[in-house]
Every structure is written in C-alpha cells, then in structure tokens.
Amino acid sequence: MKSKSELVKNSLNLILLSMLFNIFTSCVSTYKIIDYYMVSNSIDNNQLFCNPSFQHDPVVEYVKSIKWGEKIMIVEQELPNKEKKWFIIIATRDSLMCGCHDTLIGPMTQAEKDSMLNIRCINEKIMKEKKWYSSY
C-alpha cells in the first residue's frame, strides 16, 4: 500500500501532465479585455463574451479587432464572407463591467460607427487595441 505522500505526489504528477497535455494539444486562446470581457477562439471563431456569463451581457462572434477605454468598447466584426460590421458597447455605470447591463449597439457600418463616435466626441485613436487573425 502506498503512503499518503506518494499518493499526493502521484496525484500532483497526473494534474501536471493533464495541464501540459491541454496546453500543447489545444489551440484555444482567451484574451481578457476589461473587467471580465474576453475574446476566445474556442468555437472556431473569435467570440467576445463575459466570463462568467450573465443574461443580458453582449456576445459578438467573428471579432477581428477591439478598441476600448474605461466606458466604451468598439468591436470590429469580419464575417466569413469578408463583410465587416461594427458594434459599440457602452458602460451603464462608471466603467465597462460584465453583469451590469452594458449597452450593445450594432451591427452598424463603418460610417454609422464613425458618426456615433463623432457625436459622442470619442477619439478611438487613443484607445487600447487588440487585433485577431481570422482563419477563414
């Protein structure tokens, strides 16, 4: 019969091997934007979602890029047919926050997006930005 320390050591080795297997056999990546807004490619496209998910949180698939600040997020979507659309997420409180009913506006054209940003005096050139490669 194995000692308690041997059992613990074997268990830890199995956990470590399992983690390494998942890291090296998985192409899934998740990128945190702000609060718990994340983009993941776990279902063959880049999907923006909240983790954990709440009933009214925004979800956008086929994300090509995101620009964000404390109160606003601009999501560029590129569909498999290469059509581009934009979404704007606006914080309902002091900052973007999952589970707080942030407002999702879109889809819209680039001209509609630019007009909305102009009306709100938002300079997207000073926002943080992340781009994703699309496999389609």
Side-chain angles (χ1 to χ4, degrees), residues 17-72:
L17 285 173
S18 175
M19 290 171 58
L20 289 172
F21 179 78
N22 286 336
I23 289 169
F24 291 113
T25 61
S26 175
C27 295
V28 174
S29 65
T30 302
Y31 184 87
K32 183 178 176 184
I33 305 295
I34 187 171
D35 187 50
Y36 289 96
Y37 281 102
M38 302 186 176
V39 174
S40 175
N41 67 353
S42 64
I43 50 176
D44 297 331
N45 60 57
N46 299 323
Q47 183 180 50
L48 171 73
F49 65 98
C50 280
N51 185 19
S53 178
F54 296 92
Q55 185 176 2
H56 299 288
D57 283 338
V59 174
V60 179
E61 292 186 320
Y62 302 106
V63 172
K64 182 175 181 181
S65 70
I66 294 181
K67 294 180 180 179
W68 73 96
E70 283 294 315
K71 295 185 175 205
I72 193 163

Side-chain angles (χ1 to χ4, degrees), residues 84-86 107-114:
K84 291 186 179 185
K85 295 289 182 181
W86 282 262
M108 61 184 87
T109 66
Q110 184 171 0
E112 291 169 327
K113 178 222 19 144
D114 291 344

Side-chain angles (χ1 to χ4, degrees), residues 67 74 122-129:
K67 294 180 180 179
I74 304 164
I122 295 170
N123 181 359
E124 65 182 300
K125 293 178 183 174
I126 63 169
M127 300 175 96
K128 297 174 189 171
E129 181 175 16

